Amino acid sequence: MATKRLVFNFPPNLIEQPLTYQLITDHKLKVNILRARVTPRERGRLVVEVSGSKKNLDAGLKYASDLGVEVKPLAQNVQWSEERCIECTACTSICPTGALSVEREQMRVSFNEDKCIACELCLPTCPYEAVQIIF
Amino acid sequence: MAKTIQEINEKIKKGKAVVYTAEEIIDVVKKKGVKKAAAEVDLVTTGTFAPMCSSGAYFNPGHANPRIKLGGGQVTLNDVPVYTGFAAVDFLVGATAIPDDDPRNKIYPGKFPYGGGHLIEDLVAGKDVRLVARAYGTDCYPRRKLETWIRLEDMNEAVLFNTRNAYQNYNVAVNLSDRIIHTYMGVLHPELRNATYCSAGQLSPLLNDPFYRTIGVGTRIFLGGGIGYVVERGTQHNPSVPRTEQGVPRMGAGTLALMGDLKQMSNRWLRGASFVGYGVTLAVGIGIPIPILDEETLRFTTVTDADIVAQVVDYSEAYPKCVPGSLGEVSYAQLKSGSVTVNGKEIPTAGLSSYARAREVAGILKDWVETGSFLLSEPVAPLPSADSGVQFKPLNERPIVNNNKVAVN
Ligand code: SF4
Ligand code: SF4
């Protein structure tokens, strides 16, 4: 079993494709949708956690890429700039997964990208644009 | 044994001053006791780094040829309008100013991506900014239009001037309503889902000198990464609020007006900030040295986060409508633990003031003193304290009826 957190970016013409359905039925993958933004005639964006055997996973992702969907690991999508962050902790009570967290002894803030689900809740909370989403 | 500021300065010059940060001093006094520590320690350094909206800077860019009178005209820097109501070319940038074409909250909540705070940050970073001016033209200042790139080093004078900084304590903000609200205390989620606070607590300057015994007009300080001065009590200075037994105000109290040469400062300690749905502000780094003149000054600096309490205020209803009172009192130790209990509900907390950066400021100031590059100044006048009767009053509105020309009482 392998698990990957991915971002699918769809061009407008692929929005109608039942991609997740195909991944589940044809490729026997477990697909957990973490976040979705689909607007007619615009690019769609789907953040998913996909698990399955390595072989099925590779085949499923190849199927998505061949369709024209851009597949990227999730980590690349949310960027935290250590330099811009002033460690105020404002975002840490909003972040649902603890990806942005405070070490309480020293009150230092850090970002663990493995925990980030790209929910974007921290974005409007940070006054210093220290967290950015790379679309 | 009492010490004087001059004696402490002599020790600083010889590299012999004993300095601790307001955080370190807590343990030092715990170990040595007040008496022994007061004899040994010369100075305690404090720090804070947080959004402080009543900040700004004034500039003199020099005269163009032919001359232009900016006073009475319209001037923007990077599209941010600046105040020109001075003689020919002085102008003032306010931290919360925003470009005329910013949509503000028309599409709620507004993003406020750029304003006076960011402009000050950009200038301090050494960036070129666009100065665009329109003037009415006079015989001695004939020019009506000016468009030029300009940067900090081109200015004759560039002075950070903040009318209210370093608030001694502050509200803890929550939202009792059923909708999300966007405030200067950050994004507050409905039905008490989060709480925000804004003070460096035990490191905060005025919480370590609660009755302003050493901090006064003329006190030399760390300001924005350079050297600055306390020039007056800040606006809304409110020293007469209720205090704890140790003298710590239980809510927002004293404030400081500060100034300093912007050219020495750095963009690590002056940062533009955008509060979604609210506006633009400037985060300012401030560090104030507290000379240990006697046991009492030392005792005040040993204040801990557990000793400092703040009032929990509802920002959906009570704050906008000036309803007095609070939902309860919590300590900074609780706030910094990550959750507090309000109305029987445990809610997560988050800061707006950076404790990590406050510690860094106090550390830098300590370093300056230890290396002899920072000497204490003697205050020339005290700030009004708890017994002064000074109080922060609300506005008494006297409506102007029928366009009458004479004020009514
Ligand atoms: S995007 Fe969501 S999960 Fe990731 S850091 Fe921000 S709040 Fe946390
Ligand atoms: S809100 Fe922004 S500046 Fe504050 S801790 Fe989070 S990422 Fe850093």
Side-chain angles (χ1 to χ4, degrees), chain B residues 81 161 170:
Chain B
F161 192 102
Y170 212 78

Side-chain angles (χ1 to χ4, degrees), chain A residues 83-90 92-94 104-108 124-128, chain B residues 49 51 189 197 271-274 276 283 336-338 349-352 354 356-357 359:
Chain A
E83 207 185 297
R84 290 202 64 75
C85 173
I86 70 150
E87 301 186 67
C88 63
T89 75
T92 60
S93 72
I94 302 282
R104 297 272 159 201
E105 190 62 34
Q106 298 291 314
M107 296 303 284
R108 302 298 307 264
T125 309
C126 177
Y128 307 94
Chain B
F49 184 57
H189 292 265
Y197 63 95
R271 287 284 302 278
S274 303
V276 169
K336 280 167 66 186
S337 77
T349 57
L352 298 169
S354 170
R357 289 287 194 96
R359 183 193 295 114

Side-chain angles (χ1 to χ4, degrees), chain A residues 78 91 94-100 111 115-123 131:
Chain A
V78 172
C91 56
I94 302 282
C95 175
T97 64
L100 281 158
F111 175 62
K115 285 190 181 170
C116 176
I117 57 165
C119 69
E120 299 184 18
L121 281 173
C122 53
L123 265 69
V131 223

Side-chain angles (χ1 to χ4, degrees), chain B residues 41-58:
Chain B
V41 178
D42 297 304
L43 201 77
V44 169
T45 60
T46 62
T48 183
F49 184 57
M52 303 193 196
C53 294
S54 282
S55 300
Y58 65 80

